[in-house]
Amino acid sequence: MAKRKLALLGKQNFMMQGGLLAISGIIVRIIGMLYRIPMANIIGPEGSGIYSAAFNVYNIALILSSYGMPMAVSKLVSARLTKEQHRNTMQVALRALVVAAITGGIAALILFFGAEGIENVLYSGVPGVKSPLKVLAPTVLIVAVLGVYRGFFQGQGNMVPTAVSQLIEQIVNAIVSVVASYGFMRAYAETVNPGEYGAMGGTLGTCLGAAAALAVVMILVFRNRILYSSKLKADTVSEDVPVADTYKLILATVIPIIIGQTFYNVSAMLDDILFNKIMLMSTDKVTIMGLLGNYGQSFSTLTSIPMGIASAMSASMLPSIVRSFTQGDTAEINNKIRKTVRITMIVAIPIMVALMVLGQPVIELLFRRFDAVEGSIMLKVGGAAIVFYTLSTITGSALQGIDKMRVPVIHSAIALAVHIPLVVVLLLAGAGIYSLVIGVMVFAFIVFVLNMRSLYKYNGYRQEISVTFMLPLFSSAIMGIVALLVYRGLYMVIGHNLPVLIITAIIAVVVYFGVFSALKKAGVFKKGYL
């Protein structure tokens, strides 16, 4: 009975912690979207194009140096805490800090001193990338160390430090980005390319926000030092592990995660480069930067909000799956994956439909300087990327949790091999900016399908379809029709976008959950598995 209660508590804690981190992630992304509205208006389409290009390079540097660290540390910490090996847990965390400092430091130096070369070689069509890259350089080191601390807490099943530090990071980021971009644009208004300095101001917020988050998690570790010390003294089951073996274990865990995510972000950077090179054959540089800026704001920013739910739920799911895997409970692993997928689909699918239906008025409200019609078409064409990315993230995390670290890497490589020629063909065929949208969607879809196939192969996982996908999709379709009719009707009467969108959004939420609950209660959709 006691074990059953403990298992139930563990399940509830896993879902509760994941929900907390998901809410934090949504708030963080909403703040990110909101502060980018004035910032995008301040720095303009050209500055937004520079900002977007710089961030794609920064993301590559971040991934190569430290992206996998939170997940790797979380996985290793969880496995050891399951066996109550507190001393081994602390050894992993401390040595992970050393790895993060070295890799993050090297990446920061390369980014800072190589910024001009990156601009000249890779971004000849986007002049000005070098300045924001130099500001982002120290951020790589800060985020690398920050990732270890977050992974340490996540491995304990505690998502609160990550959630709190994320919120503080984004608040600082928002304030500094807007203020600095405005100040820099004014200070360098008479220069040839003021957007370069506006983008540089925006990246300054990223750097200082990460520094604030690092300070928060370090304070939390310091406050819990007595608790950690008592657990270390009481530990009688930890094994003596050579230092070299611990470093090898950390690298063996983190490298596959890094490589897998590198493929995704490399695809984004290659998209920019290919778009830049091919479009220069028929389009001027200003237009190219404007198109990339619209893509970065209207499509990438809006779709990143629901995608954050997948990242949060995966971070919470991973240590829980590691514990079940360590205990050899295959059925419980599959149950946790299904629950995570089902919960994320309840949110991701209606957001996808809402953006497809109301994309144009949303963009008109948030990003007035961008082409809302073009942006809304991007969302219609590639909105499904929200669902596919969410599913690929969750299934990839599940595979890593059952020690199939290399499998998601192989799947990402396959997806990239399809993605690159597809984007080139679409660009040459005249699809323009929509080539990137379709490429992102196809990449995520391929990874998701291959991940699902591997989960079935290695863990006997079968995905429930009807309740997980069809129920929220049908409810979202009805919501979308009602939302479109309500928006158009109200706009004819009121004539102002903001109040009409707010009322429409409220009605849409009520309709969605009303239809969802009614259909679920009536048992219209029965559970069915692939």
Side-chain angles (χ1 to χ4, degrees):
M1 180 66 72
K3 287 185 178 180
R4 188 176 297 174
K5 285 184 178 179
L6 186 61
L8 180 61
L9 181 62
K11 292 178 190 177
Q12 291 173 342
N13 185 59
F14 146 62
M15 299 308 296
M16 219 165 42
Q17 293 285 337
L20 173 66
L21 195 57
I23 292 170
S24 169
I26 291 172
I27 295 172
V28 163
R29 279 164 173 76
I30 289 174
I31 294 173
M33 182 184 67
L34 291 177
Y35 89 76
R36 287 191 180 192
I37 297 169
M39 190 184 80
N41 290 326
I42 290 168
I43 66 179
E46 292 80 10
S48 294
I50 294 170
Y51 181 86
S52 177
F55 252 88
N56 281 336
V57 178
Y58 162 73
N59 284 334
I60 294 293
L62 198 63
I63 288 165
L64 291 174
S65 63
S66 63
Y67 176 85
M69 200 59 77
M71 191 174 291
V73 173
S74 173
K75 182 178 185 296
L76 295 173
V77 165
S78 178
R80 279 147 190 76
L81 288 179
T82 301
K83 302 174 183 178
E84 298 187 355
Q85 295 176 343
H86 298 286
R87 191 167 65 251
N88 290 151
T89 297
M90 194 60 67
Q91 288 173 349
V92 165
L94 292 173
R95 287 161 192 171
L97 278 173
V98 175
V99 173
I102 294 172
T103 57
I106 292 172
L109 291 172
I110 292 173
L111 201 61
F112 185 84
F113 291 105
E116 291 189 11
I118 291 170
E119 177 181 315
N120 294 333
V121 175
L122 301 180
Y123 286 97
S124 56
V126 191
V129 172
K130 63 179 180 297
S131 296
L133 280 180
K134 288 184 177 181
V135 175
L136 286 168
T139 316
V140 177
L141 175 59
I142 296 170
V143 173
V145 176
L146 174 62
V148 176
Y149 282 101
R150 283 176 171 168
F152 177 68
F153 284 114
Q154 289 170 12
Q156 300 172 58
N158 183 5
M159 306 296 149
V160 174
T162 298
V164 172
S165 64
Q166 281 181 346
L167 287 171
I168 293 174
E169 176 181 8
Q170 192 69 311
I171 290 170
V172 173
N173 183 8
I175 294 171
V176 175
S177 293
V178 173
V179 172
S181 61
Y182 177 76
F184 287 4
M185 284 293 286
R186 289 195 63 183
Y188 295 94
E190 303 302 321
T191 60
V192 176
N193 190 9
E196 171 183 354
Y197 300 99
M200 185 172 68
T203 55
L204 180 62
T206 305
C207 182
L208 296 183
L214 179 59
V216 170
V217 292
M218 290 179 70
I219 290 170
L220 291 174
V221 169
F222 180 77
R223 289 184 61 182
N224 287 286
R225 67 191 186 283
I226 296 175
L227 175 62
Y228 298 143
S229 178
S230 64
K231 288 183 177 181
L232 289 173
K233 289 177 182 177
D235 182 5
T236 58
V237 295
S238 283
E239 304 168 351
D240 292 326
V241 181
V243 174
D245 288 354
T246 305
Y247 283 121
K248 288 178 183 177
L249 181 62
I250 293 170
L251 292 174
T253 306
V254 77
I255 287 174
I257 300 173
I258 288 175
I259 295 174
Q261 187 63 24
T262 297
F263 283 121
Y264 181 80
N265 281 79
V266 162
S267 71
M269 189 176 76
L270 288 175
D271 283 351
D272 281 353
I273 295 170
L274 291 170
F275 186 79
N276 173 38
K277 299 294 184 183
I278 295 175
M279 291 296 288
L280 271 176
M281 299 176 186
S282 58
T283 310
D284 61 273
K285 293 181 179 181
V286 174
T287 302
I288 290 173
M289 287 190 289
L291 288 169
L292 287 174
N294 197 8
Y295 170 74
Q297 297 293 340
S298 300
F299 182 78
S300 298
T301 299
L302 288 175
T303 56
S304 70
I305 296 174
M307 288 177 182
I309 300 170
S311 300
M313 294 303 295
S314 296
S316 177
M317 179 186 70
L318 179 64
S320 182
I321 284 183
V322 170
R323 284 193 291 272
S324 297
F325 180 73
T326 303
Q327 295 163 354
D329 195 341
T330 301
E332 187 56 32
I333 291 172
N334 290 340
N335 185 43
K336 288 173 179 176
I337 298 171
R338 288 191 193 99
K339 281 186 176 181
T340 305
V341 171
R342 187 167 65 249
I343 288 172
T344 52
M345 288 302 100
I346 290 173
V347 180
I349 290 176
I351 293 178
M352 173 193 73
V353 172
L355 288 176
M356 287 179 168
V357 172
L358 299 173
Q360 184 173 339
V362 168
I363 294 169
E364 288 173 349
L365 175 67
L366 301 178
F367 309 113
R368 288 174 295 173
R369 297 182 65 173
F370 293 98
D371 188 337
V373 174
E374 182 182 67
S376 67
I377 296 174
M378 291 185 208
L379 291 171
K380 287 181 176 68
V381 171
I386 294 170
V387 172
F388 296 146
Y389 178 87
T390 298
L391 292 168
S392 65
T393 301
I394 294 170
T395 52
S397 181
L399 285 168
Q400 290 160 351
I402 61 173
D403 271 355
K404 300 300 176 184
M405 304 296 297
R406 297 180 183 178
V407 174
V409 176
I410 296 170
H411 296 167
S412 295
I414 294 171
L416 184 62
V418 175
H419 174 90
I420 294 172
L422 174 64
V423 170
V424 171
V425 169
L426 289 171
L427 284 170
L428 293 174
I433 196 66
Y434 306 110
S435 306
L436 309 190
V437 174
I438 295 170
V440 168
M441 182 172 60
V442 171
F443 184 98
F445 176 75
I446 292 172
V447 174
F448 155 60
V449 170
L450 293 176
N451 284 352
M452 290 292 288
R453 179 174 172 272
S454 293
L455 281 173
Y456 174 75
K457 177 182 177 181
Y458 295 115
N459 214 62
Y461 178 78
R462 296 179 63 204
Q463 179 60 55
E464 195 282 324
I465 299 297
S466 185
V467 175
T468 303
F469 296 106
M470 299 310 297
L471 175 56
L473 185 60
F474 186 81
S475 304
S476 298
I478 294 175
M479 174 205 74
I481 294 170
V482 172
L484 184 61
L485 293 174
V486 168
Y487 178 84
R488 289 181 176 178
L490 287 176
Y491 194 82
M492 290 176 64
V493 176
I494 299 175
H496 294 285
N497 197 13
L498 178 58
V500 173
L501 271 177
I502 292 174
I503 296 171
T504 303
I506 294 171
I507 293 173
V509 170
V510 173
V511 169
Y512 171 72
F513 283 106
V515 173
F516 184 94
S517 300
L519 292 174
K520 187 177 181 181
K521 187 176 181 180
V524 174
F525 292 91
K526 306 292 184 182
K527 286 188 176 182
Y529 295 83
L530 279 176

